[in-house]
Amino acid sequence: MRLGVLDIGSNTGHMLVVDAHYGAAPTPAFSYKEPLRLAEHLEGGAISSSGIEALTRFVRAAVEIADDKGCAETVGFATSAVRDATNCDDLIAHVSTETGVDLEVMSGVDEARLTFLAVRRWFGWSSGRLAVFDIGGGSLEIAAGGDEAPDVAWSLKLGAARLTSERLGGRVSADEVQALRKQIRVTIARDAGNLLRSGAPDRAVATSKTFRSLARMCGAAPGYDGPFVRRTLAKKDVSRLVPKLLKLDNDEIAKLPGVSHNRAHQMLAGALVAEGVMEIFDLPELEICPWALREGVLLERLDHYS
């Protein structure tokens, strides 16, 4: 069956069309994405009218693509930026009226849970107890456990776009970066015992675009080498990357391997969060997983068809 997954993230809107059936890995057939930057469209806690219109245009185009590509069903969901907006209900109602799509506003815990499911299916049972970390535009998701459903899962407002908008606008000083580094680590450490009390994980995994970009900047294989190449991100490499990013402007960062111009301005914040995760959970290295939330949503939906 051909399915569509409409993912409204805090950075990007992404329509993924896949061929899928129960018991098999979803096979991507078509991908359409736009840099919506909803986390940066927040004004007084609400997503601005320009942000709402950009989202509506994207959803309308995504629906047309799903129809053209023969999708039997399209699953649509929105994450942190929409979830946290004070006008969330009005935004969802507007999109529904204009496009006919009822977006599910996903909780942070569900984001963490479904991303964990995707990582578990990718790496399998031989990975033992997994710890999974996902830096999005609006939030950081953390989950851990030994089964397909995590034992613990939570979400923190430490997304790369959110922190950039709130704390790193324009040129920043070393003191400002140090203050943000401390805030990030205090926030992560507050609930770190949820994961640490069960001991070190057998495998620590990072997923989604920010971690993939950081890994590529630190020497991981490029995407065109395919999804089955082992990619990692070492703490020592991230720690070296942070002062380098601080010295570069956005155009210079965009020229680094694995960085799009749209996300260049967020990479310093993303690196600080990644470094904080690895420090607080005492992880010298994270393995990069090509599957993330979208695949988790698909896999759970396919399980219901079985």
Side-chain angles (χ1 to χ4, degrees), residues 133 188 211 233-238 271-287:
F133 306 93
I188 296 171
F211 271 121
L233 178 64
K235 178 186 169 187
K236 60 182 177 59
D237 291 333
V238 178
L272 290 170
V273 175
E275 185 186 39
V277 163
M278 299 171 86
E279 176 64 33
I280 297 302
F281 293 104
D282 193 22
L283 300 168
E285 181 180 270
L286 292 168
E287 189 163 0

Side-chain angles (χ1 to χ4, degrees), residues 60-84:
R60 187 180 292 116
V63 169
E64 292 177 2
I65 287 170
D67 290 344
D68 289 345
K69 298 298 179 182
C71 291
E73 180 183 354
T74 297
V75 181
F77 62 90
T79 57
S80 179
V82 173
R83 177 172 69 238
D84 295 336

Side-chain angles (χ1 to χ4, degrees), residues 15-253:
M15 177 65 179
L16 179 65
V17 177
V18 301
D19 292 320
H21 63 271
Y22 179 70
T27 302
F30 188 82
S31 177
Y32 165 62
K33 61 178 72 174
E34 289 289 342
L36 299 177
R37 293 188 176 182
L38 295 180
E40 298 173 32
H41 276 284
L42 290 169
E43 298 177 355
I47 292 179
S48 66
S49 58
S50 61
I52 293 173
E53 289 309 311
L55 171 59
T56 304
R57 285 194 301 271
F58 174 79
V59 173
R60 187 180 292 116
V63 169
E64 292 177 2
I65 287 170
D67 290 344
D68 289 345
K69 298 298 179 182
C71 291
E73 180 183 354
T74 297
V75 181
F77 62 90
T79 57
S80 179
V82 173
R83 177 172 69 238
D84 295 336
T86 56
N87 59 340
C88 172
D89 291 343
D90 291 340
L91 183 157
I92 295 298
H94 177 81
V95 170
S96 178
T97 299
E98 294 295 321
T99 70
V101 175
D102 294 320
L103 292 172
E104 175 190 355
V105 180
M106 189 173 291
S107 71
V109 170
D110 278 343
E111 276 194 68
R113 177 182 64 82
L114 290 168
T115 301
F116 184 91
L117 172 63
V119 173
R120 169 60 75 192
R121 295 280 178 92
W122 181 267
F123 285 116
W125 294 110
S126 63
S127 296
R129 186 168 183 269
L130 284 171
V132 177
F133 306 93
D134 179 349
I135 303 171
S139 58
L140 164 69
E141 273 67 52
I142 302 172
D147 298 324
E148 287 212 327
D151 300 329
V152 294
W154 71 102
S155 178
L156 300 170
K157 294 182 179 181
L158 294 177
R162 183 193 297 271
L163 294 178
T164 299
S165 177
E166 293 177 352
R167 299 290 298 275
L168 296 178
R171 282 286 185 179
V172 294
S173 68
D175 287 344
E176 289 172 315
V177 170
Q178 183 58 35
L180 180 56
R181 176 186 276 114
K182 178 178 179 180
Q183 175 196 327
I184 288 167
R185 295 182 183 204
V186 167
T187 302
I188 296 171
R190 184 179 59 222
D191 298 312
N194 292 344
L195 190 156
L196 292 172
R197 67 173 55 97
S198 296
D202 298 305
R203 194 169 207 154
V205 178
T207 189
S208 292
K209 182 63 175 178
T210 296
F211 271 121
R212 291 199 304 271
S213 294
L214 291 170
R216 181 73 184 99
M217 280 190 281
C218 292
Y224 57 72
D225 281 357
F228 302 115
V229 175
R230 186 174 187 268
R231 296 173 173 88
T232 61
L233 178 64
K235 178 186 169 187
K236 60 182 177 59
D237 291 333
V238 178
S239 295
R240 293 191 190 111
L241 182 62
V242 169
K244 178 180 178 180
L245 292 174
L246 185 56
K247 296 175 183 177
L248 301 178
D249 62 30
N250 292 335
D251 289 337
E252 291 170 323
I253 293 173

